[in-house]
């Protein structure tokens, strides 16, 4: 079974970075005037074909690897709903033999994508925020109405 990396990085994962998929890795477009590159790929655990999250690597053509960070699926609640029914493989993607569905299907990548955007922006890679928000998230951003004389609460 394949990781379906092209489908993951271009359709399922809302990272909002410009770039291209090569093999199982996504390469973000360089920041203007910079030689830095950002590679995002799945990181394999000690078990064959089991992936625990995404590895982000900042590369320089002359200096090599500048920085590496691993963002786990488990820490970012990616498969929280799926894992409530499992007693094994919690927080992992298993890309073993069999099946035609992507192994990461059904994941909630919202928090993981936010961590990727934060990291990318820290290194100067342009990463826009998603334009579509869930109704629950959008509602939580609205100011709560004040109980005093019907006015809306004001941000300071």
């Amino acid at each position: 079974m394949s990781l379906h990396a092209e489908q993951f990085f271009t359709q399922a994962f809302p990272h909002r970075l410009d770039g291209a998929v090569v093999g199982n890795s996504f390469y973000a477009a360089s920041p203007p005037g910079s030689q830095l590159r950002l590679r995002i790929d799945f990181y394999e655990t000690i078990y064959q074909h089991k992936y625990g999250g995404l590895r982000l690597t900042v590369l320089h053509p002359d200096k090599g690897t500048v920085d590496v960070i691993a963002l786990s699926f488990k820490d970012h609640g990616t498969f929280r709903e799926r894992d409530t029914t499992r007693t094994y493989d919690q927080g992992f993607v298993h890309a073993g033999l069999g099946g035609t569905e992507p192994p990461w299907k059904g994941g909630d990548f919202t928090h993981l994508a936010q961590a990727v955007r934060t990291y990318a922006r820290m290194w100067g890679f342009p990463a826009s925020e998603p334009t579509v928000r869930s109704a629950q998230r959008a509602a939580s951003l609205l100011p709560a109405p004040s109980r005093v004389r019907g006015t809306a609460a004001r941000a300071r």
Side-chain angles (χ1 to χ4, degrees), residues 32-84:
S34 175
Q35 292 184 346
L36 294 178
R37 309 285 186 264
L38 176 62
R39 179 179 67 213
I40 306 172
D41 53 5
F42 293 91
Y43 73 81
E44 197 165 6
T45 64
I46 61 171
Y47 302 103
Q48 187 176 16
H49 305 297
K50 270 192 189 174
Y51 298 87
L54 298 177
R55 177 180 43 231
L56 286 69
T57 307
V58 176
L59 303 163
H60 187 276
D62 297 328
K63 298 175 184 174
T65 300
V66 176
D67 193 53
V68 178
I69 187 171
L71 303 174
S72 75
F73 295 134
K74 189 171 186 173
D75 289 347
H76 292 87
T78 304
F79 299 107
R80 186 173 292 137
E81 284 188 37
R82 178 197 74 182
D83 291 347
T84 58

Side-chain angles (χ1 to χ4, degrees), residues 18-147:
D18 290 329
V21 177
V22 179
N24 282 335
S25 299
F26 176 83
Y27 290 87
S30 297
S34 175
Q35 292 184 346
L36 294 178
R37 309 285 186 264
L38 176 62
R39 179 179 67 213
I40 306 172
D41 53 5
F42 293 91
Y43 73 81
E44 197 165 6
T45 64
I46 61 171
Y47 302 103
Q48 187 176 16
H49 305 297
K50 270 192 189 174
Y51 298 87
L54 298 177
R55 177 180 43 231
L56 286 69
T57 307
V58 176
L59 303 163
H60 187 276
D62 297 328
K63 298 175 184 174
T65 300
V66 176
D67 193 53
V68 178
I69 187 171
L71 303 174
S72 75
F73 295 134
K74 189 171 186 173
D75 289 347
H76 292 87
T78 304
F79 299 107
R80 186 173 292 137
E81 284 188 37
R82 178 197 74 182
D83 291 347
T84 58
T85 60
R86 287 182 161 184
T87 57
Y88 63 94
D89 283 349
Q90 291 188 345
F92 294 103
V93 165
H94 188 262
L97 300 174
T100 57
E101 293 291 325
W104 41 262
K105 187 174 181 182
D108 177 6
F109 304 105
T110 308
H111 298 292
L112 185 62
Q114 179 59 46
V116 168
R117 284 191 299 276
T118 300
Y119 183 80
R121 281 195 302 260
M122 183 183 75
W123 286 97
F125 292 88
S128 63
E129 290 296 320
T131 55
V132 178
R133 296 179 187 233
S134 69
Q136 180 182 11
R137 174 79 174 129
S140 70
L141 296 176
L142 296 175
S146 173
R147 295 175 193 240

